[in-house]
Amino acid sequence: MNLFDVYPINNIAITKAKGTYVWDDKGEQYLDLYGGHAVISIGHTHPHWVKRIEEQLNKIAFYSNSIKIPLQQELATKLGKVSGKEDYQLFLCNSGAEANENALKLASFHNGRKKIIAFNKAFHGRTSLAVSVTDNKNYIAPVNETDNVIFLPFNDEAALEACFKKQGDEISSVIIEGIQGVGGINIAENSFLKKIRSLCNEYGAVYIADSVQCGYGRSGKFFSHDFAGVNADIYSMAKGMGNGFPIGGIIIAPQIKPKHFQLGTTFGGNHLACAAALAVLEVMEEEKLMGNAVMMGKYLREELEQIEGLQNVRGRGLMIGFDVSDEIKDLKKNLLLNQKIFTGEAKPNVIRLLPSLGLKKRDAEHFIEAVKEEIGLMQKA
Ligand SMILES: Cc1ncc(COP(=O)(O)O)c(C=O)c1O
C-alpha cells in the first residue's frame, strides 16, 4: 500500500529532536524555526513533558468521557490561571479543526442561528464547518458548500458594520484569527476586534477567537486577541497546546451554558493528552516562555527589518512573517539546503517563523547571519 499523496514534502526524514533542533536519519542537524507548523511550543522532547507523559503512560493512557478524569479539571484550572480566563469552561478535543467545528456548532446551539461571518484569507481547518469558513476554494468539497458563510474583507470595520446592519439578527457567530497564519501573518487590528465585540454584543452573535496558531503564548500574550483588550466568547486552541501531542480545545464564556450530549468526542481529553497539555503550561510558567517570545520576537523583527530584500516584516512575539522579493524567492529553500534551517511559508512569497517559544538568542542570531549570507549569495549570482 502507498501513502495517499496529499502533501508536497521535503525529502528529509527527521528521527531525533531536542529543544529548537532536529536531526535527520543521516545525523545532519537542523535549526527548527518552523516548529512543525507552530506546534512545538516549549521545545522538542522537553524533559518535563517527556517525564509527565511517561509517568502517565505507566498509569493509564485512555479512558472515555463516561468517567471522571481529574486531569481534565487540573488542566482547566491551570489553563484558566495561565490564560487569565478563570471563569471560562473547557471542552477538550483533538485538533484545531475540531476545536473550531465545536465552537461554530456551539454558537449555533446557543443562539439558534445559522449564519457565520468569516474573513478573507482565513484558515480554520479541514472538517466540514471549519473548511466552509476557510477562504480557499481548493479545500472546499462540493459537500462542504453552504450559503451560511459570509466572507468579509479582513480589518474592514465598515463592511462588518454594514453586514450586521443588513442581517445582524441572523448572524450566529464571527470567527477570526487574532493573527492570520496560513493567510500570511496578518494582524487583526485592535479596533477591528473591538468592533467585532461590540457588534456581537449588540446583535447577540458569538465572537469566536481562533487561537489555534496565534494562541498559547506564541504572540507574547496568551491569546493574541488579548492585545485588543476585549474578551471573545469562545477561544479555540490546539497546536502548541500539547507540544506535539495531539490535543485541542475550546474555552467558553460563562454565559454559554452546557447541555448534556450537545458536544462529545471519544478521544478528546484523554489522560495522556491532559498530561502533555499540563506539562506544556507548567513549563511555560516555569521558564517564562511568553516573556521570552516577546524578547526574541522583538530582536528578530528589528534585525530582519534591516535586511535589504526583505519587506513588510510583521507579527507579534514568535509569530513572524516577512515578504521576499522575486530576486531572492529561493530564500526559504536555500536556508534549508545550505544552512540547515527550517522555516515556514505562506504562498506566494511570505516566510513564516514559528519556532519554539524557548528560542535562544544565539539561535536567533545564527538565523539572522544565515539569512544575510544566503541573500548575499543570491544577489551575487
Ligand atoms: C488558525 C488555524 N485554525 C485551525 C487550524 C486547523 O488545525 P488542525 O490542523 O489541528 O486541524 C489551523 C492549522 O494550521 C490554523 O492555523
Side-chain angles (χ1 to χ4, degrees), residues 37 95-97 100 123-125 177 182 210 212-213 238-239:
H37 209 93
S95 70
N100 286 328
F123 183 90
H124 297 295
E177 296 157 82
V182 175
D210 182 341
V212 169
Q213 187 165 152
K239 292 201 187 282

Side-chain angles (χ1 to χ4, degrees), residues 12-129:
I12 298 171
I14 294 174
T15 52
K16 197 177 91 172
K18 184 96 202 140
T20 320
Y21 289 95
V22 297
W23 287 264
D24 70 13
D25 52 358
K26 297 171 191 76
E28 187 80 66
Q29 178 179 304
Y30 298 80
L31 175 61
D32 182 15
L33 301 186
Y34 172 57
H37 209 93
V39 165
I40 301 305
S41 47
I42 59 169
H44 289 282
T45 59
H46 190 290
H48 181 67
W49 179 83
V50 172
K51 183 163 169 273
R52 259 281 200 177
I53 295 174
E54 229 166 40
E55 283 175 0
Q56 189 57 48
L57 195 53
N58 285 312
K59 290 183 200 155
I60 176 172
F62 171 81
Y63 206 84
S64 83
N65 282 301
S66 63
I67 45 117
K68 247 168 105 169
I69 302 178
L71 279 168
Q72 292 183 351
Q73 185 53 54
E74 204 186 316
L75 176 58
T77 304
K78 186 83 182 170
L79 184 54
K81 182 168 168 264
V82 180
S83 68
K85 314 279 185 227
E86 277 169 301
D87 56 346
Y88 280 56
Q89 312 152 81
L90 174 65
F91 175 77
L92 290 163
C93 55
N94 310 287
S95 70
E98 215 188 311
N100 286 328
E101 194 82 14
N102 280 295
L104 294 161
K105 188 199 255 191
L106 182 59
S108 177
F109 273 133
H110 176 66
N111 55 23
R113 301 178 187 169
K114 289 185 182 169
K115 301 268 184 212
I116 304 165
I117 294 178
F119 297 97
N120 293 355
K121 290 197 163 185
F123 183 90
H124 297 295
R126 309 289 190 140
T127 57
S128 187
L129 256 182

